[in-house]
Amino acid sequence: MTKARTRVGPSGAASTPGTLPLTLDVDALIDDPSTRIIVCCGSGGVGKTTTSAALGLRAAERGRKVVVLTIDPARRLAQAMGIEALDNTPRPVADVDHAAGGTLDAMMLDMKRTFDEVVESQASPEKAKQILENPFYIALSSSFAGTQEYMAMEKLGQIHAQSGEDGTYDLIVVDTPPSRSALDFLDAPERLSSFLDGRFIRLMLAPARGPARLMTAGLGIITNALTRILGGQVLGDLQTFVAALDTVFGGFRQRAQKTYALLQHEGTAFLVVAAPEPDALREAAYFVERLSEDRMPLAGLIVNRASPAPSGDLSADESMTAAERLRREDPTSLTAGLLRLHADQMRMVEREARLRGRFATTHPQVATAVVPALAGDVHDLAGLRRVGLLLAGGRTQNNA
Amino acid sequence: MSEKRTGDWPQVRLHVVTGKGGTGKSTVAAALALALATRGKNVLLCEVEGRQGIARMFDVDPLPPEERRLTTGLPAEDGTPGVVHALHIDPESALLEYLSLYYKLGRAGRALDRFGVIEFATTIAPGVRDVLLTGKLFEAVERNSRNKGAIHYDAVVLDAPPTGRIVQFLNVSNELAGLAKVGPIKAQSDTMMTLFRSPRTAVHLVTVLEEMPVQETSDGIAELRAVHLPVGGVVVNLIRPQDLAADDLADARSGSIDRDRVTADLTVAGMRHERAIVDGLLAEARDHAERRALEDSQRTLVADLGVPTYELPRLPQGVDLGALYELAASLREQGMA
Ligand SMILES: Nc1ncnc2c1ncn2[C@@H]1O[C@H](COP(=O)(O)OP(=O)(O)OP(=O)(O)O)[C@@H](O)[C@H]1O
Ligand SMILES: Nc1ncnc2c1ncn2[C@@H]1O[C@H](COP(=O)(O)OP(=O)(O)O)[C@@H](O)[C@H]1O
Ligand SMILES: [Mg+2]
Ligand SMILES: [Mg+2]
């Protein structure tokens, strides 16, 4: 049996009997100096960006030297953190409490620019120019599914290497792109490099020498078909692109592999963020399983935007019955309205607890933190502090 | 058409449902398809993102890349339903079909697949992928006597990519311009644009009453209009219960609800009424009122968008098959279908 610590207090109140998930101790994680990288993963819209910013702020105010690499903060959140300018460089966040000796820098990833920089660093200036202007490169670097993930990893690798040299940061918190599946973050870099390394690409690069004759015959059919569908100029652009990219390609694959290894390192902690919804929790489950297959260190699950648990123990059915009784007497009864709201809230809380219970039963080893939904969006440092506090289980900083 | 009630979009054959991620696009698209499928009509519900969301919502086996009968639609008042069909459009089979249809590329088509060209065309050139997906959609909408034996659909509903990608997705000929300036795929995308820009198409946007999604909806409408794509309605999803009157909400926010009255009511209703219970109800009311106030300010913004709006409740137990019909009934009642 695992030691299951239950949390007392509002967010722990609603767990299903029988399944007591381990509680994720967020403060222990961010205070541990051996935690060097935290990656927040999860499916779209669940709160990855919010969570990473909140964790970064909390860690900084507890004394760590933190940089947060965000991907797509909401406009007002970006403003509050002073990172609307896409310059691909971490900037200090204003109004952070430095009393504990920590610092907070943040940046918003500029995917295309990161890609351009990689190309520029790998190729000669003329070659780089040729690549950067090619329409296929432009498509690839701005909208290929997976480029954003690849570039997030690339940037993480860069910042990590740099802070290893000059010690600017001792904790990097990484947000991940808004893909539909959390797995994309792990799969995309491989997808991109295997694409660049793919059969077709190699074929287009292969000179039509002897043994390749059969292949070349096949290629004839293909180029013919492509020309008919797309027009001849497309194929020309494509060949130029492929040939140019080949020179920088080895570098790409190597870099991706290095970053991947970094993620497997024990100083890395993955946090899987999910909403208390079936789809999001299913994604979270896939992701958790995948992390263990790939021997990547999972720190825990964050169930974000949970319905706040009501305080009393009035059941939904009890409340509905009473509400109907009151409505019969007085159709506008305030108390009936209050009871119906309570019943609605109870049903949501029960459903979410059931969903979490199901996850806990199948993944008992995953420590979990539950963050209730705030009434409004989180778009300033005060909101991030509140989310940070809730992440840490609602304890205040003094008794932590 | 002989029906008395045709809804707010009688001319529309292609309903595109977009919105910010997670706001309920798939749910709304499914409910709209059910609502449109009445009085013997055939409605096609399409998805393009390869997620098998339709299969999950309707609790059926994963869909193959071909049309199939899904379920019976929401019956009309006189009890006659229609049929909802489903189609999971995936780019690879769309490309193969396209090649064999227009280029008789049986063998070469398979060769293309073997050499990874399909993967190539559908990944590196997103414009090409979108043209393939929308091409299939176009075919389903414009299907005519040329395609014998195939079902003629009265309406096609698309569970579309999110707001951030919808213009790119539908504005196919423009997107292709950078890659394919000539050639048949270009000509074809131009024909498709004619449908997408016509009054026979409506792009509906799903939102929830929160700041980011409403902002995104407003930006999305502006972008759609800028490229002359027809904006349909806004579906406001996940509406909180409206059980408290406006003055009670105000009292709840300011903490001035009359406790004694609540305690007395609970007693009358034969409920427990100890202090903790009343405190709990009042605290919930306050929290609810605060959220409602935020919702109301967003609702004003949605109203100012100047397009028809429809509201769907947040169902506390989540969405199962029965709930989809409930949501469909609500959409129909509000005139969306
Ligand atoms: N009116 C509603 N009441 C309760 N739950 C709802 C409602 N509408 C949607 N949901 C739930 O919200 C979640 C997200 O909905 P849905 O999958 O339709 O969103 P989506 O916009 O298609 O998401 P994505 O961007 O991931 O495709 C689902 O679990 C769905 O069941
Ligand atoms: N616990 C929370 N309470 C209230 N709102 C939240 C909470 N977490 C996230 N949000 C809001 O939800 C929206 C989506 O969050 P975001 O972090 O951008 O998600 P993701 O990065 O996973 O796509 C934002 O508007 C954010 O302010
Ligand atoms: Mg994000
Ligand atoms: Mg969906």
Side-chain angles (χ1 to χ4, degrees), chain A residues 57-371:
Chain A
L57 177 60
R58 187 168 179 87
E61 296 194 330
R62 293 172 69 89
R64 303 290 303 266
K65 290 190 279 179
V66 187
V67 59
V68 176
L69 168 51
T70 68
I71 310 284
D72 60 342
R75 205 174 298 161
R76 285 176 60 184
L77 181 61
Q79 277 165 7
M81 298 181 74
I83 51 172
E84 319 124 271
L86 265 172
D87 62 357
N88 239 6
T89 316
R91 299 269 172 226
V93 176
D95 301 325
V96 173
D97 177 0
H98 299 287
T103 57
L104 179 64
D105 284 8
M107 68 164 276
M108 178 157 70
L109 179 78
D110 180 338
M111 162 174 89
K112 182 158 184 354
R113 181 145 167 183
T114 307
F115 208 151
D116 292 355
E117 283 165 6
V118 175
V119 170
E120 281 160 353
S121 73
Q122 301 279 305
S124 65
E126 316 88 84
K127 202 96 197 179
K129 185 163 183 292
Q130 206 183 359
I131 297 177
L132 297 185
E133 284 169 358
N134 186 285
F136 280 94
Y137 171 77
I138 294 169
L140 182 73
S141 61
S142 48
S143 50
F144 179 75
T147 303
Q148 217 173 13
E149 282 83 356
Y150 184 94
M151 289 308 138
M153 281 209 190
E154 171 67 33
K155 201 73 207 175
L156 166 63
Q158 286 175 13
I159 294 180
H160 183 263
Q162 185 214 330
S163 64
E165 279 163 26
D166 59 18
T168 336
Y169 307 116
D170 60 25
L171 177 63
I172 308 173
V173 183
V174 195
D175 177 21
T176 54
S179 51
R180 59 179 188 227
S181 158
L183 292 178
D184 283 354
F185 182 67
L186 296 178
D187 289 337
E190 178 55 30
R191 234 184 20 239
L192 182 66
S193 32
S194 73
F195 164 72
L196 293 175
D197 204 13
R199 279 170 300 179
F200 178 56
I201 296 255
R202 267 184 287 131
L203 202 62
M204 301 217 37
L205 285 171
R209 268 185 267 106
R213 261 201 53 206
L214 261 185
M215 294 269 281
T216 319
L219 186 62
I221 303 179
I222 293 165
T223 40
N224 207 359
L226 280 183
T227 313
R228 279 160 69 188
I229 302 166
L230 299 170
Q233 154 249 337
V234 176
L235 220 58
D237 282 344
L238 184 56
Q239 263 153 340
T240 325
F241 170 61
V242 166
L245 203 63
D246 189 50
T247 56
V248 299
F249 171 65
F252 271 92
R253 174 154 280 226
Q254 229 175 10
R255 295 164 83 93
Q257 279 164 352
K258 233 169 112 184
T259 316
Y260 212 75
L262 183 62
L263 294 177
Q264 287 172 323
H265 192 265
E266 57 188 19
T268 300
F270 279 88
L271 285 175
V272 182
V273 187
E277 284 291 334
D279 289 356
L281 283 168
R282 190 177 322 107
E283 280 298 330
Y286 289 149
F287 194 72
V288 161
E289 284 154 24
R290 173 62 188 282
L291 284 179
S292 82
E293 273 166 34
D294 286 12
R295 289 175 293 107
M296 294 207 172
L298 171 70
L301 171 74
I302 291 169
V303 179
N304 187 32
R305 306 194 83 172
S307 299
S311 55
D313 59 349
L314 277 184
S315 80
D317 289 347
E318 225 182 325
S319 313
M320 281 312 277
T321 315
E324 267 147 42
R325 210 172 293 152
L326 287 171
R327 281 246 150 115
R328 243 175 280 135
E329 302 295 320
D330 170 12
T332 61
S333 162
L334 161 68
T335 309
L338 296 180
L339 287 165
R340 290 170 66 104
L341 280 180
H342 176 75
D344 187 78
Q345 191 69 19
M346 284 303 278
R347 290 199 171 120
M348 304 233 325
V349 167
E350 279 160 14
R351 169 169 184 268
E352 291 175 9
R354 234 178 0 259
L355 292 168
R356 271 192 285 135
R358 207 180 296 161
F359 184 93
T361 310
T362 44
H363 300 88
Q365 78 287 7
V366 180
T368 303
V370 179
V371 178

Side-chain angles (χ1 to χ4, degrees), chain B residues 51-257:
Chain B
R51 297 167 66 175
Q52 293 290 349
I54 298 179
R56 255 200 315 268
M57 281 185 290
F58 287 89
D59 207 7
V60 296
D61 288 338
L63 298 170
E66 58 201 40
E67 290 155 45
R68 59 173 40 196
R69 184 187 190 283
L70 186 63
T71 189
T72 305
L74 180 72
E77 306 91 82
D78 66 2
T80 48
V83 177
V84 177
H85 305 256
L87 173 60
H88 168 217
I89 310 180
D90 83 282
E92 314 218 335
S93 39
L95 179 56
L96 282 176
E97 186 183 316
Y98 175 89
L99 293 175
S100 70
L101 202 66
Y102 292 94
Y103 299 97
K104 311 273 176 287
L105 273 185
R107 199 168 75 85
R110 279 193 303 279
L112 289 175
D113 203 13
R114 223 171 359 100
F115 287 116
V117 176
I118 306 260
E119 186 198 348
F120 176 82
T122 54
T123 50
I124 193 179
V128 172
R129 186 188 56 213
D130 291 349
V131 174
L132 291 166
L133 296 173
T134 46
K136 186 82 189 126
L137 197 66
F138 176 82
E139 189 273 328
V141 178
E142 296 290 26
R143 191 171 285 173
N144 51 31
S145 47
R146 203 181 66 175
N147 196 341
K148 290 198 196 69
I151 298 170
H152 173 89
Y153 294 108
D154 298 286
V156 174
V157 179
L158 173 67
D159 176 7
T163 327
R165 287 215 313 275
I166 190 65
V167 164
Q168 194 186 31
F169 182 77
L170 291 175
N171 205 11
V172 278
S173 56
N174 180 58
E175 203 194 338
L176 267 182
L179 293 176
K181 295 196 178 66
V182 289
I185 211 165
K186 167 79 175 110
Q188 209 160 10
S189 64
D190 290 345
T191 322
M192 286 171 355
M193 285 312 296
T194 315
L195 167 66
F196 298 156
R197 291 209 168 117
S198 78
R200 297 162 66 225
T201 296
V203 182
H204 308 294
L205 298 97
V206 182
T207 188
V208 293
L209 291 178
E210 287 168 26
E211 207 175 298
M212 273 222 287
V214 168
Q215 182 63 48
E216 205 172 285
T217 304
S218 153
D219 294 347
I221 289 178
E223 282 173 48
L224 287 164
R225 289 196 174 136
V227 296
H228 311 291
L229 285 164
V231 175
V234 169
V235 181
V236 181
N237 191 23
L238 293 160
I239 293 280
R240 283 170 202 282
Q242 317 271 307
D243 287 306
L244 297 188
D247 49 343
D248 290 339
L249 277 176
D251 287 349
R253 280 193 86 189
S254 59
S256 52
I257 287 183

Side-chain angles (χ1 to χ4, degrees), chain A residues 43-50 72 175 304-305 371-374 376-378 387, chain B residues 212:
Chain A
S43 46
V46 292
K48 295 183 291 285
T49 304
T50 309
D72 60 342
D175 177 21
N304 187 32
R305 306 194 83 172
V371 178
L374 303 183
D377 281 344
V378 182
V387 172
Chain B
M212 273 222 287

